[in-house]
Amino acid sequence: MAISLTGTRVSAIALPWFVLATTGSATMTGVVAFVEMAPYVLVKALAGPVVDRLGPRVISWTTDAVSAVAAGLIPLLHGLGVLPFWLLLVMVGLVGAVRGPGDLAKEVMVPEAADRARVPLERATGLAGVTERLASTVGPAVGGGLIALLGPMAGLTMNAVAFALGSLVISLVLPRGMGRAAVTPPPAEAGEGGAQQQAGYWQMFREGFSFVRTEPLMLTVIVMIGVTNLLDAGFMTVLVPVWAQESGGGPAAIGLTGSVWGIAAVGGSLIAAAFAHRLPRRVVFFTGFLLCGAPRFLVLAMGAPMGVVLVVFAVGGFGSGFLNPILGAMLFERVPRHLLGRVGALGDSLAWAGIPLGGLLAGAAISLIGLIPVLLVSGGLYFATTTLAGLRPEWREMDRLRGHGPASAVENPPGPTLAA
């Protein structure tokens, strides 16, 4: 996770800056973000049954290998002078399409790792959050430095190398037997000769959809995170690069703010990993959103000095470090192991559905009304979404299944499969 996510975070700076520098258009930058994330969300939504049937280990290393090839073609073709804009979109879309199942496969293996290590789910998801935050710290710093010294193509090359290394780690280094296909309950009566029929793709898909539909808390979380993800996507892929360009900070400013955010988020995630299983989830969750949401939009809109911007980003990053460990633990507690791939795919994809539109809408809005009004409106929407969602009664369920859900290690002892 650390290797592949670091490469992705470098690319998240290199690619928008490359498009912005070569086209000068915030709208085109948003189009590229859309073309990457739309296939990511769509393919990830449909990949759940495949991950459950083939196993997350196989899906992870194969998709990372394909991502390495597609990502490596971008700097190669650009260096040869044969990279028109439409071909760039094709390569970016391919990377997004295969990265979705790869990310899902790594997430699905987290509870199995927790079982093998015999640690609470909050601690396991907290350590996964630390890994993600470290990648978000190192990636922007390395990406900003590489772009400043060698140009954006160096960052995209590093992304391809990271995908290749990640594929090797998953395929060769994980313990034997880890990440096998999930064992699902037989969908029909035993057939002739006593053989059991394997569930078809669409039946497996419907099982995951039915489970999500019957979980009110999960649906509420998905809707709220869907809105905040849309706003976050526009902020990172378009608003921050345009702010950096207009303020004169350049890619170094993008890397610096991203690194400060990431370092603080690592601190928050470490505390979550150590103590989250003892803290009230609801209070911590919404306090984290209050810190990491609207303030960063407002501080950029105010044109504050870089020192003030970095303080706000540090506080926000610290608050954000508590969010994913809580969400991950809730998911793994409530979802049976044989449904993790399907439910995780649907939940992630619905929550990420707005991400492809985030950069597109932000770029179009800047072209119409300018950067500062877009920052103010986005910050207001962020605050309203997280505040109003917190009033829903479903949130009282956050602590109910703590350590006793269907995916807990009590019902699913460590073993070679993800069987419930």
Side-chain angles (χ1 to χ4, degrees):
M1 289 176 72
I3 294 170
S4 61
L5 286 175
T6 299
T8 301
R9 298 303 186 269
V10 171
S11 176
I13 293 179
L15 188 59
W17 190 259
F18 169 69
V19 177
L20 196 59
T22 54
T23 67
S25 170
T27 302
M28 288 296 100
T29 305
V31 168
V32 172
F34 173 82
V35 169
E36 179 180 11
M37 294 311 302
Y40 179 100
V41 171
L42 179 60
V43 175
K44 190 174 187 179
L46 299 173
V50 180
V51 172
D52 284 340
R53 175 168 290 179
L54 299 181
R57 182 175 190 157
V58 171
I59 297 296
S60 179
W61 75 260
T62 54
T63 53
D64 277 2
V66 175
S67 295
V69 174
L73 284 174
I74 296 176
L76 177 62
L77 295 175
H78 177 71
L80 296 175
V82 289
L83 186 65
F85 189 71
W86 68 265
L87 186 55
L88 173 66
L89 295 180
V90 171
M91 293 293 103
V92 168
L94 178 59
V95 171
V98 295
R99 188 162 65 87
D103 288 351
L104 172 66
K106 296 175 185 65
E107 295 164 9
V108 166
M109 288 188 280
V110 169
E112 184 182 0
D115 287 351
R116 289 171 175 265
R118 299 187 182 277
V119 298
L121 275 175
E122 284 97 341
R123 181 160 297 168
T125 55
L127 292 173
V130 170
T131 302
E132 180 186 359
R133 301 305 182 179
L134 281 171
S136 298
T137 304
V138 175
V142 173
L146 278 177
I147 295 168
L149 291 174
L150 304 174
M153 286 298 109
L156 296 176
T157 301
M158 181 179 174
N159 186 30
V161 173
F163 275 128
L165 290 176
S167 176
L168 291 174
V169 169
I170 293 294
S171 60
L172 300 179
V173 179
L174 284 186
R176 290 186 60 187
M178 185 174 177
R180 290 184 180 178
V183 177
T184 61
E189 296 296 327
E192 184 179 347
Q196 291 181 339
Q197 308 238 342
Q198 174 67 283
Y201 171 86
W202 289 112
Q203 181 172 345
M204 295 176 70
F205 186 89
R206 283 194 299 270
E207 289 173 354
F209 181 80
S210 298
F211 184 89
V212 173
R213 190 175 56 183
T214 58
E215 282 283 332
L217 176 58
M218 189 173 296
L219 289 174
T220 303
V221 169
I222 287 170
V223 172
M224 187 187 81
I225 300 299
V227 176
T228 58
N229 276 345
L230 182 149
L231 297 170
D232 286 333
F235 184 78
M236 293 304 300
T237 60
V238 177
L239 298 183
V240 171
V242 173
W243 163 78
Q245 188 181 54
E246 292 187 359
S247 66
I254 305 175
L256 184 59
T257 53
S259 296
V260 168
W261 177 281
I263 291 171
V266 169
S269 296
L270 285 171
I271 294 175
F275 302 110
H277 58 289
R278 302 176 184 175
L279 301 176
R281 285 179 178 172
R282 186 179 183 184
V283 174
V284 173
F285 185 74
F286 285 102
T287 301
F289 259 123
L290 184 64
L291 295 176
C292 76
R296 59 200 159 104
F297 291 87
L298 300 181
V299 75
L300 297 189
M302 292 166 54
M306 180 59 76
V308 176
V309 171
L310 294 180
V311 169
V312 171
F313 271 63
V315 173
F318 179 79
S320 73
F322 290 85
L323 302 180
N324 285 344
I326 293 175
L327 290 173
M330 287 171 50
L331 172 71
F332 296 142
E333 283 172 352
R334 291 173 175 270
V335 182
R337 289 289 171 88
H338 71 278
L339 293 176
L340 267 180
R342 283 159 276 180
V343 174
L346 287 169
D348 284 357
S349 298
L350 292 172
W352 284 46
I355 291 181
L357 298 174
L360 201 63
L361 293 176
I366 289 175
S367 300
L368 288 175
I369 62 175
L371 175 63
I372 293 178
V374 174
L375 285 167
L376 292 174
V377 171
S378 299
L381 288 174
Y382 211 111
F383 178 78
T385 299
T386 54
T387 302
L388 294 176
L391 302 178
R392 298 282 302 177
E394 293 89 344
W395 293 103
R396 289 194 290 267
E397 298 288 308
M398 289 187 80
D399 292 282
R400 185 172 63 84
L401 293 180
R402 203 164 188 159
H404 301 288
S408 68
V410 174
E411 294 183 28
N412 301 279
T417 72
L418 293 176

